[in-house]
Amino acid sequence: MRLQQKILLIILPLILVPIIVLGIFAYKNSLDVQEQLEEIELTADIQYRVSQVNSYRRDIMAAMSFLASNKQFPLALSQSSNRNKVLDAEKELRHFAYSYPDSIQLALLDRQGKPIGVHKSNKFVSNPLALTDRVEWQLINQDRRAQPLIGIQQPIFELTRSPRKRVLGFINIILMPDWERKLKLMEHHGDKFMISDLTGNLLFSYPEGEMGSMIPSNAFKKLYNATKQSQASMFQLGSNQIHFSGQLISGQYLFLYGKDKGLIKENKSGITWVTLIIVLLTIAMTSFLVYYSINNLVILPIMQLAQAKQKVAQGQFDIKLNTESHDEFGELFASFNVMVRQLVVYREKERDGRLRLEYKVKERTEELLATNTALEASNIALEKAKITSEQASELKSAFVANMSHEIRTPLTAILGFTEQVIANSPTNSQQLDLLGRVLSSGKHLLALINNVLEVSKIEADKLDIEVTKVDLFELFNDVVGLLSTQASDKNVDFIFNYIYPIPHYIRTDSTRLKQILLNLASNAIKFTETGSIHIDVKYLPEKSSIEVIITDTGIGMSEEVAQSLFQPFMQADVSISRRFGGTGLGLVISKNLAKILGGDIRVTSELGKGSEFIFNFKVTADNKPLGLELINSLIDLATDQGRVFGFSDEKAKAIAPVSELSGRVLVAEDVEDNQFLFKLLLDSLSVDYEIVSNGEQAVERALTDDFDLILMDMQMPIIGGLEATSLLRQAGVDTPIYALTANVMKDDMQRHLNAGCNGTIAKPIDRKEFISIVQSVLGQRKDVEYLALPQDKLDKLRHDYLSQLPAQAKLISKYLTDMDLLGLMAELHKVKGSAGSYGFMVLSSLAGQVEAFCLENKEDELFWPDLKSHTFTLLDTMKSVINAEGK
């Protein structure tokens, strides 16, 4: 397709579409204007005819008003028995009637409408028509005449100068105007005119007889409402639609003037054809002008330029275009001519340039080869550096794991022997103290190893969490139980407070959450010598997170120290480390764990005044849906199925005494100290066991004898634990096998499971965990608490405490009524110290809050109303505890 055709295809629609749109708009607008003109014309026509009628009526009424002022009429009415007076009045009436040829009757009536004198000029009126004294005129259609008569009445007043003149009678005139001539109804073909009263009765219509004697009620309402709103309306007359415009006159009659809708459509069709012709002519002329203009102004110059370009491409440089035109094409042609001349010059220069370029390309190529060689050497060095860095990271992790194993192996024997000796209750108190110090130092060393391992996992991004559904109140109860003991040992007040509502259950890693809470709160207790520790827990629904605020009155820290607080191995200064101990890893681990749980830790502190740690974490750490069950108060918590107070059935089972076990245990351990420890532990459980020193012996004994449990050390001479376990599983041995190892990273534990182990027992050995695993295999019981109290004794203690609780509640109520603050505080202190010992942590916490409120406000005499409110909450909670436990 040629450019000429393309331009036309592009430009013509851009021109023609707006023309067509404008033509349609003009057509529709002309129709609207025509309709508006028709309505305006109808309105003007009806106004003209109404004004004609009003003008005619006002002229007659003005003349009659002048006639009524003649004194002959009051005299004739007041002396109606005097015939001369009546004749004089009739004479005046006759003279007036001669002046108005449309009048057919002129009468003088008394107050009762009885004629006194009458002048008739037409036989159609038989009797004078008396109007009411409030109507000045009316249309009369006697005997259903084609054209109505006009009756006008003027009152006659008595001859007196009093402002209140009495009406003696009326002058009544009846006129028969030529309506068609007076209203000019015959001048326009197709015009319709109607006069009706306000009930729809037709008094006059033109053309005569087309519209009957009455307008249908629905049509009359439509016409009447349109007239009141000064709008036109449609009226169906036979098969034709009449466009009417109306006007009320004197509030008595409706004048309607209309035109046939068909005549209006004929006018509109003429406008349609005119508009269509104009649009078509515009399109044709525009297309021709566009084609002519584009062809002469654009296409021809472009064709000249294209032909010149082809000649230049063929090597003809003697081309010169005409530059006489002074438009853009003239400038383009001039530039083309200059370009051709420059091409001649450039061809000469191009030969020299090509030679120089070839030389430079060769030179740059040699430089590029040298650069590529250097880059390749740099890449090789970077790859080596990367491999070295990765190897260093792996070596670091391996070193940390090895060191952990090497430290945990002797530490297993140290802690195990120490616990066993303490369990045998030595009589020498000094020895018992020294053993306690050894055990404490060993556990501190174990905690340090665990912290270093966790920091290593965090740096290697290998720290995983196990998200489960967690009872938030049970978790905080466990934490508060541990922290309360620490605070009590330092004689520091410990206040724990829920800011309700709080979610009952959340999804998180309970172990990691406890680790963070214990770390932050233990630090607060450690660095606080006097004062108190406040822990507030609240729910932030807009962030779907829990916020824990831990405030202490300890030594505090400066802003510079606070900024570096979460860096590894950082503490306030050397004196702090010497005085309080610690490695500075706890807060680093806590902050990273908080981020893994979807939150963070912030700190604000002032030196010498204390610190405030704000820890928040997500309600759902894995973003899985969780239906929130909100607890709104302590009473709601207390009445929640009685679960929060006391122990559940599972808890009761967990503290059941250890039962006798049956079965044989094979222990594979190469360290003699650890062998002795396992002997002591297994002897205390009264089970049969056999101990071997390497994996080869373990495989041999397991294949030749029957065992119910195998405890396999992972690092042994001859055959290691992983290899020995794999051999046993391949031989078909399905005896439960637990790995004994100091390597407790997730990858290590997964290797144990892949080799065939049922689980892992970490070194140093935790006696409770060890006994629980042995009993779960040999005695089919889980989560056993070592040396726990018998259930019957616990039940008796709890029953005794609950039995005295109602009396204690009455005593608190009595002290509150008597306003005995000392007695009340004493009882509150008893509840605070005793309730938690029997598992009622919420009751203990609430009593502690009321006691703290008394201490803070006891100097204020006006604090009793608030104290009563707090105490009543405590009493309601005590009742809930009693009712829940009673059930």
Side-chain angles (χ1 to χ4, degrees):
M1 185 180 291
R2 304 294 294 175
L3 179 61
Q4 183 180 16
Q5 297 171 340
K6 290 181 180 180
I7 293 176
L8 288 176
L9 287 177
I10 294 173
I11 294 179
L12 282 179
L14 298 177
I15 297 175
L16 297 181
V17 171
I19 291 175
I20 295 173
V21 172
L22 289 175
I24 295 173
F25 175 76
Y27 168 67
K28 291 186 176 181
N29 191 51
S30 63
L31 293 181
D32 294 339
V33 171
Q34 182 69 15
E35 289 182 358
Q36 293 176 4
L37 289 175
E38 292 291 342
E39 291 188 7
I40 293 172
E41 184 178 351
L42 284 174
T43 303
D45 287 341
I46 191 64
Q47 288 179 349
Y48 168 76
R49 285 158 177 77
V50 169
S51 64
Q52 288 291 98
V53 173
N54 284 334
S55 176
Y56 178 76
R57 176 176 57 82
R58 282 194 296 269
D59 290 344
I60 300 298
M61 291 180 68
M64 289 188 63
S65 177
F66 177 77
L67 180 63
S69 63
N70 194 320
K71 63 180 180 178
Q72 298 294 338
F73 299 110
L75 292 175
L77 289 172
S78 60
Q79 302 178 20
S80 58
S81 58
N82 188 336
R83 182 60 183 166
N84 292 328
K85 299 292 183 183
V86 173
L87 289 175
D88 291 340
E90 289 179 352
K91 184 179 178 181
E92 293 295 331
L93 294 175
R94 191 178 309 111
H95 289 316
F96 183 82
Y98 291 152
S99 301
Y100 292 90
D102 290 343
S103 62
I104 58 175
Q105 175 182 288
L106 193 64
L108 179 66
L109 307 176
D110 61 10
R111 292 178 61 185
Q112 287 75 30
K114 181 180 179 182
I116 302 299
V118 178
H119 171 72
K120 293 184 179 180
S121 60
N122 194 295
K123 63 181 179 179
F124 295 114
V125 180
S126 58
N127 293 311
L129 179 63
L131 306 181
T132 61
D133 55 359
R134 293 186 180 182
V135 177
E136 296 179 346
W137 75 283
Q138 73 179 36
L139 294 177
I140 305 169
N141 193 0
Q142 267 189 335
D143 303 325
R144 297 292 178 182
R145 294 175 56 84
Q147 298 186 2
L149 306 176
I150 297 179
I152 300 175
Q153 180 173 279
Q154 183 69 36
I156 305 297
F157 298 97
E158 61 182 349
L159 297 173
T160 176
R161 294 182 179 180
S162 173
R164 294 187 178 181
K165 297 180 180 182
R166 186 166 60 92
V167 177
L168 298 177
F170 305 92
I171 294 178
N172 187 307
I173 186 171
I174 297 177
L175 303 146
M176 187 173 67
D178 186 352
W179 292 96
E180 295 179 2
R181 178 184 59 79
K182 188 171 291 295
L183 299 180
K184 299 181 180 180
L185 298 177
M186 295 181 292
E187 295 182 2
H188 303 285
H189 175 67
D191 290 359
K192 311 293 180 183
F193 182 78
M194 295 187 294
I195 301 176
S196 73
D197 59 16
L198 298 185
T199 62
N201 292 319
L202 280 175
L203 304 177
F204 174 68
S205 65
Y206 178 84
E208 183 179 349
E210 279 193 10
M211 289 168 273
S213 61
M214 188 171 184
I215 303 174
S217 59
N218 292 336
F220 178 76
K221 288 181 181 179
K222 182 179 178 181
L223 293 170
Y224 180 74
N225 292 332
T227 300
K228 289 180 66 177
Q229 298 175 6
S230 301
Q231 296 177 353
S233 180
M234 299 298 297
F235 180 74
Q236 188 72 32
L237 185 61
S239 60
N240 297 329
Q241 284 188 330
I242 310 300
H243 203 194
F244 273 106
S245 179
Q247 189 168 340
L248 286 170
I249 183 169
S250 299
Q252 306 177 69
Y253 306 103
L254 180 63
F255 279 43
L256 298 167
Y257 183 78
K259 288 189 176 182
D260 194 337
K261 189 72 174 179
L263 297 177
I264 298 175
K265 289 183 177 179
E266 291 178 3
N267 294 334
K268 290 183 179 179
S269 64
I271 293 173
T272 303
W273 283 108
V274 171
T275 303
L276 181 60
I277 292 171
I278 292 172
V279 170
L280 292 177
L281 288 175
T282 304
I283 292 173
M285 291 298 295
T286 303
S287 302
F288 175 76
L289 290 175
V290 168
Y291 174 78
Y292 179 80
S293 300
I294 291 175
N295 188 63
N296 287 276
L297 297 177
V298 179
I299 303 301
L300 290 179
I302 291 176
M303 290 177 65
Q304 294 177 12
L305 187 62
Q307 292 172 0
K309 183 262 301 180
Q310 290 178 355
K311 291 181 179 181
V312 171
Q314 294 171 1
Q316 301 178 20
F317 295 103
D318 56 347
I319 298 298
K320 185 177 181 180
L321 295 175
N322 186 6
T323 58
E324 293 180 356
S325 60
H326 300 288
D327 55 7
E328 287 80 359
F329 279 106
E331 295 176 358
L332 182 61
F333 287 174
S335 300
F336 182 82
N337 293 334
V338 174
M339 181 190 70
V340 172
R341 289 194 298 271
Q342 289 176 346
L343 280 175
V344 177
V345 177
Y346 290 155
R347 288 188 67 182
E348 297 298 328
K349 293 181 178 180
E350 187 261 342
R351 293 187 182 93
D352 297 334
R354 187 185 309 119
L355 296 174
R356 290 194 297 269
L357 182 60
E358 289 176 356
Y359 175 76
K360 288 184 178 180
V361 167
K362 182 179 179 181
E363 187 180 32
R364 296 294 184 269
T365 301
E366 292 175 353
E367 293 178 357
L368 184 60
L369 289 174
T371 304
N372 287 338
T373 303
L375 286 175
E376 186 176 355
S378 298
N379 288 335
I380 293 172
L382 288 174
E383 287 291 335
K384 289 181 179 179
K386 179 183 177 183
I387 294 172
T388 302
S389 176
E390 292 176 350
Q391 289 175 348
S393 178
E394 292 177 0
L395 287 173
K396 174 187 172 184
S397 298
F399 174 76
V400 171
N402 252 351
M403 288 300 297
S404 170
H405 174 76
E406 294 300 328
I407 295 174
R408 283 173 180 266
T409 298
L411 198 57
T412 299
I414 294 171
L415 294 181
F417 290 146
T418 305
E419 286 183 345
Q420 190 62 41
V421 174
I422 293 175
N424 291 336
S425 302
T427 57
N428 191 321
S429 60
Q430 184 179 5
Q431 291 180 356
L432 187 61
D433 179 61
L434 293 176
L435 289 171
R437 293 177 184 272
V438 171
L439 185 61
S440 176
S441 298
K443 289 183 177 180
H444 176 72
L445 180 58
L446 181 60
L448 175 59
I449 295 170
N450 291 334
N451 286 341
V452 172
L453 278 175
E454 291 211 346
V455 171
S456 177
K457 291 179 185 178
I458 291 170
E459 291 178 349
D461 197 20
K462 294 183 178 179
L463 186 65
D464 297 322
I465 61 172
E466 183 179 355
V467 178
T468 58
K469 186 176 181 181
V470 178
D471 187 325
L472 190 62
F473 292 95
E474 185 175 335
L475 184 144
F476 276 113
N477 284 343
D478 294 341
V479 173
V480 169
L482 295 173
L483 296 175
S484 299
T485 304
Q486 296 181 24
S488 177
D489 292 341
K490 291 196 67 174
N491 197 24
V492 175
D493 290 337
F494 182 78
I495 301 172
F496 183 84
N497 180 44
Y498 289 116
I499 300 176
Y500 295 97
I502 299 288
H504 198 161
Y505 298 98
I506 61 173
R507 286 189 59 81
T508 190
D509 187 327
S510 60
T511 303
R512 299 301 184 184
L513 181 56
K514 283 183 181 179
Q515 181 179 352
I516 298 171
L517 294 171
L518 289 173
N519 198 335
L520 295 177
S522 297
N523 279 348
I525 295 172
K526 180 169 69 173
F527 293 108
T528 302
E529 298 295 336
T530 59
S532 60
I533 310 295
H534 286 259
I535 299 181
D536 293 325
V537 181
K538 62 181 178 180
Y539 171 50
L540 305 178
E542 67 279 1
K543 297 181 179 179
S544 296
S545 62
I546 305 295
E547 184 174 83
V548 182
I549 303 173
I550 302 173
T551 308
D552 64 66
T553 58
I555 61 175
M557 67 189 85
S558 63
E559 184 177 353
E560 294 78 13
V561 172
Q563 291 178 355
S564 62
L565 195 61
F566 296 103
Q567 298 178 11
F569 304 103
M570 290 294 294
Q571 283 195 336
D573 54 37
V574 178
S575 62
I576 296 297
S577 179
R578 290 175 179 175
R579 181 181 174 188
F580 294 99
T583 61
L585 294 177
L587 289 178
V588 178
I589 295 171
S590 297
K591 188 173 182 67
N592 282 278
L593 290 177
K595 291 181 179 179
I596 293 174
L597 297 182
D600 199 2
I601 298 176
R602 308 189 308 275
V603 60
T604 57
S605 182
E606 185 175 353
L607 193 61
K609 294 188 177 181
S611 304
E612 180 180 82
F613 284 81
I614 301 175
F615 163 45
N616 62 80
F617 56 93
K618 287 292 185 183
V619 173
T620 56
D622 55 357
N623 294 321
K624 290 186 178 179
L626 174 68
L628 286 182
E629 178 185 342
L630 296 179
I631 300 298
N632 296 305
S633 66
L634 284 172
I635 296 177
D636 289 348
L637 185 61
T639 56
D640 184 18
Q641 302 178 356
R643 194 191 58 76
V644 174
F645 301 103
F647 299 106
S648 61
D649 293 339
E650 289 77 8
K651 190 80 173 181
K653 292 178 182 178
I655 62 174
V658 178
S659 61
E660 293 186 0
L661 306 177
S662 61
R664 297 188 65 205
V665 179
L666 174 63
V667 181
E669 172 62 59
D670 61 325
V671 181
E672 293 184 2
D673 291 338
N674 288 342
Q675 290 179 0
F676 186 67
L677 174 61
F678 287 124
K679 289 179 182 180
L680 293 177
L681 291 173
L682 295 173
D683 284 338
S684 67
L685 295 175
S686 301
V687 297
D688 295 333
Y689 60 88
E690 184 173 341
I691 298 178
V692 295
S693 299
N694 55 60
E696 184 181 23
Q697 294 176 359
V699 172
E700 181 182 349
R701 295 299 302 133
L703 292 175
T704 58
D705 205 347
D706 292 331
F707 293 95
D708 299 295
L709 173 63
I710 300 175
L711 303 178
M712 185 78 71
D713 186 21
M714 290 293 103
Q715 293 186 6
M716 294 184 294
I718 304 177
I719 297 179
L722 286 175
E723 186 180 356
T725 302
S726 299
L727 290 173
L728 290 175
R729 294 307 186 204
Q730 292 173 9
V733 177
D734 58 356
T735 304
I737 302 175
Y738 279 80
L740 299 173
T741 179
N743 297 330
V744 290
M745 289 187 176
K746 185 176 181 180
D747 294 341
D748 298 322
M749 296 174 70
Q750 187 60 44
R751 283 197 298 271
H752 304 159
L753 295 175
N754 294 338
C757 293
N758 296 83
T760 301
I761 300 176
K763 293 182 180 180
I765 302 299
D766 184 284
R767 299 175 67 210
K768 295 180 182 179
E769 180 186 1
F770 178 81
I771 294 172
S772 176
I773 291 175
V774 173
Q775 192 160 17
S776 68
V777 177
L778 302 183
Q780 303 302 319
R781 304 181 64 179
K782 299 181 180 179
D783 301 327
V784 178
E785 187 75 21
Y786 185 65
L787 297 177
L789 288 175
Q791 180 64 34
D792 55 349
K793 293 184 178 181
L794 274 177
D795 291 342
K796 185 175 186 306
L797 290 173
R798 286 171 50 75
H799 181 271
D800 293 342
Y801 180 76
L802 286 172
S803 62
Q804 63 85 34
L805 202 56
Q808 196 169 23
K810 290 181 180 179
L811 189 58
I812 291 174
S813 179
K814 179 178 182 302
Y815 286 144
L816 185 65
T817 304
D818 298 341
M819 298 180 70
D820 184 350
L821 184 60
L822 294 178
L824 179 62
M825 291 177 62
E827 288 302 315
L828 291 173
H829 190 75
K830 291 179 182 179
V831 176
K832 173 187 173 183
S834 60
S837 301
Y838 298 98
F840 306 113
M841 300 302 298
V842 176
L843 187 60
S844 176
S845 175
L846 184 56
Q849 292 179 32
V850 180
E851 182 187 17
F853 180 79
C854 294
L855 290 172
E856 293 174 1
N857 301 276
K858 63 182 180 180
E859 302 298 332
D860 186 0
E861 296 180 357
L862 301 178
F863 88 109
W864 278 97
D866 291 335
L867 177 60
K868 288 182 179 180
S869 175
H870 290 298
T871 309
F872 287 152
T873 302
L874 172 64
L875 293 172
D876 290 340
T877 306
M878 294 175 72
K879 292 178 182 178
S880 300
V881 171
I882 297 169
N883 294 334
E885 292 295 324
K887 295 179 181 178

